[in-house]
Amino acid sequence: MSADSLLTFPEAAAMATSIRAKALLFHDPRSVALLEQVERIAHTEATVLVIGETGTGKELIARHIHKRSGRTGPFVAVNCGAFSENLIDAELFGHEAGAFTGAAQARAGWFEAANGGTLFLDEIGDLPLPLQVKLLRVLQERQVVRLGSRRAIALDVRLVAATNIELHHAVEAQHFRADLYYRLSVATVGLPPLRERPGDILPLARHFIGLYATKLRLSNPRLTDEAQAALLAYPWPGNIRELENVIHYALIVCRDGLVRASDFRFSPLQRLAVPPAQAVHEPTLPAATEAPRAAPAPATPAQPADALAAALDRLIAAGPSDLFHTVEAALVQQAFARCRENQVQTARLLGITRNTLRTLLKRHGLLGDAAVAGDAGDEEPPGAAAQRIAPVPSFAH
């Protein structure tokens, strides 16, 4: 395996297994073509937008772009979903002493911290609209003004943004600014899910086997033919991150140095994992709104969109006074129930950000104050983003 075919985080072995995809391998023909595209983009100064499902390795792509760019400054990674709307302004752009309550001293923001290098903004779709305006201005003027200051600070920062939602759909829904979208997508990298690059599955599995075999003091464990077939047949809704966890568990329970298919513990959420494009174009209807099938069956079965149009037509004909509220409430309620009240899965299914989803859930009485407070545990704590500043990655052989 060549140095360029496997991307890993610095000190990846010391990281928690469930944080993010910790390895990205380019063996499948589609992955090889992707790496060639990334290499060409890296040598430019273009702003990059990386689009891919959770767990596909978007940050590893960003780190590789930084390494190949020739920039001498640091690589700084920030999760836009890790901060409240009140804090993210100061975190990104910095603040002066006394700019707000608790600002005892001046502090540089993440843009200044990345000066001379690369700033990676993950979950860019979660950025509130007022901050999108300010980000656009920073990208256009190449300078930043801290909160509480009038002095502009010049920047030499390359921006790489990432999202697991289709931003152009967010633009259509007016959750994301069109001008910022065009500014970010100068160079777009579409990172395919693991199920669409099957040639990477077994090489990645063997990489994780080598990684965890050492930790578990196992002597050269190997996959049986049945186990390999099971790995290739599984759809991997959690992508590389899930593959790592599955291999880790299998090595713990395997016997005689052989990893069998029965050793794998696959996620029960695989039926809830819907690719973003499919979630937008092929909405799933509640059973009550599906048109009954006549006998004999028609030559061309009704598409979900046709059934939805028919249901909406009947509803509009009834003329309720709160039509939009009724339709919106039904969509949000059914999606939330289908995803077993999992906010991350629901937001992905609807093609919106989690912040937007929370607003809709509260609007329709599906999320109380206690639930809002409890859900904060799903995100990174405010201090976590500071711990993600790291030097460029090592490339394992």
Side-chain angles (χ1 to χ4, degrees):
M1 186 178 297
S2 68
D4 286 339
S5 65
L6 177 68
L7 309 185
T8 62
F9 278 91
E11 302 179 359
M15 297 169 62
T17 59
S18 60
I19 298 177
R20 59 185 74 90
K22 297 191 314 193
L24 187 57
L25 190 144
F26 303 92
H27 184 78
D28 188 270
R30 187 168 181 179
S31 297
V32 173
L34 172 69
L35 180 59
E36 293 175 353
Q37 177 194 10
V38 170
E39 294 279 357
R40 290 193 296 270
I41 292 173
H43 295 292
T44 72
E45 289 295 318
T47 300
V48 183
L49 178 62
V50 184
I51 302 174
E53 295 180 11
T54 299
T56 49
K58 295 186 290 295
E59 184 171 337
L60 287 169
I61 289 291
R63 287 175 176 270
H64 189 60
I65 289 173
H66 172 71
K67 180 178 175 63
R68 287 289 190 263
S69 70
R71 285 184 161 267
T72 58
F75 176 90
V76 179
V78 180
N79 188 326
C80 295
F83 301 103
S84 68
E85 293 187 19
N86 296 330
L87 289 178
I88 193 168
D89 194 340
E91 291 289 338
L92 283 178
F93 308 114
H95 62 81
E96 296 294 340
F100 53 87
T101 302
Q105 58 185 7
R107 181 181 177 185
W110 296 123
F111 269 96
E112 290 181 66
N115 219 351
T118 302
L119 177 63
F120 174 61
L121 294 183
D122 199 5
E123 296 186 25
I124 190 70
D126 283 345
L127 200 64
L129 283 169
L131 270 295
Q132 294 178 26
V133 177
K134 194 165 184 177
L135 175 59
L136 179 63
R137 186 181 306 117
V138 170
L139 294 177
Q140 290 174 337
E141 300 177 2
R142 296 292 177 178
Q143 57 185 19
V144 66
V145 178
R146 295 181 181 179
L147 285 177
S149 173
R150 296 183 178 180
R151 182 176 64 89
I153 300 172
L155 294 175
D156 175 22
V157 175
R158 182 178 193 175
L159 184 68
V160 179
T163 178
N164 59 6
I165 66 172
E166 296 286 355
L167 279 187
H168 62 275
H169 293 305
V171 171
E172 294 170 357
Q174 298 184 350
H175 301 314
F176 202 84
R177 292 182 60 93
D179 46 7
L180 179 58
Y181 170 69
Y182 293 127
R183 173 67 67 170
L184 291 175
S185 58
V186 174
T188 301
V189 175
L191 191 52
L194 188 56
R195 61 183 171 274
E196 294 181 8
R197 39 193 172 103
D200 294 343
I201 294 175
L202 294 182
L204 275 168
R206 296 187 184 101
H207 165 73
F208 290 128
I209 287 175
L211 178 66
Y212 287 104
T214 302
K215 292 183 178 182
L216 297 172
R217 299 180 182 179
L218 298 176
S219 178
N220 194 29
R222 61 184 181 85
L223 296 165
T224 64
D225 292 342
E226 180 189 16
Q228 293 184 45
L231 292 177
L232 292 172
Y234 183 67
W236 298 111
N239 293 294
I240 299 172
R241 176 168 54 191
E242 182 183 8
L243 174 60
E244 178 182 359
N245 292 340
V246 166
I247 294 297
H248 188 187
Y249 177 80
L251 289 177
I252 293 174
V253 300
C254 74
R255 304 175 306 280
D256 306 322
L258 291 178
V259 178
R260 302 170 176 85
S262 58
D263 296 325
F264 296 140
R265 184 178 61 182
F266 294 123
S267 171
L269 298 177
Q270 61 172 303
R271 287 171 295 182
L272 301 180
V274 181
Q278 181 180 345
V280 171
H281 296 297
E282 299 179 13
T284 301
L285 296 178
T289 64
E290 291 180 352
R293 293 187 179 180
T300 304
Q303 295 297 314
D306 297 331
L308 176 61
L312 288 174
D313 186 63
R314 292 193 297 271
L315 187 60
I316 293 171
S321 58
D322 56 347
L323 175 61
F324 185 83
H325 183 275
T326 300
V327 173
E328 184 182 73
L331 175 61
V332 174
Q333 182 177 359
Q334 291 296 332
F336 198 44
R338 180 176 178 81
C339 294
R340 302 178 187 177
E341 300 187 356
N342 183 297
Q343 292 185 31
V344 174
Q345 293 286 348
T346 306
R348 185 180 304 155
L349 180 67
L350 295 175
I352 59 178
T353 68
R354 199 189 312 177
N355 287 338
T356 301
L357 175 66
R358 287 176 181 155
T359 300
L360 294 174
L361 292 174
K362 287 188 286 186
R363 178 186 302 166
H364 299 293
L366 299 174
L367 191 67
D369 293 338
V372 174
D375 185 63
D378 292 339
E379 298 181 351
E380 291 184 35
Q387 299 174 5
R388 295 180 62 188
I389 298 180
V392 295
S394 60
F395 294 83
H397 292 265

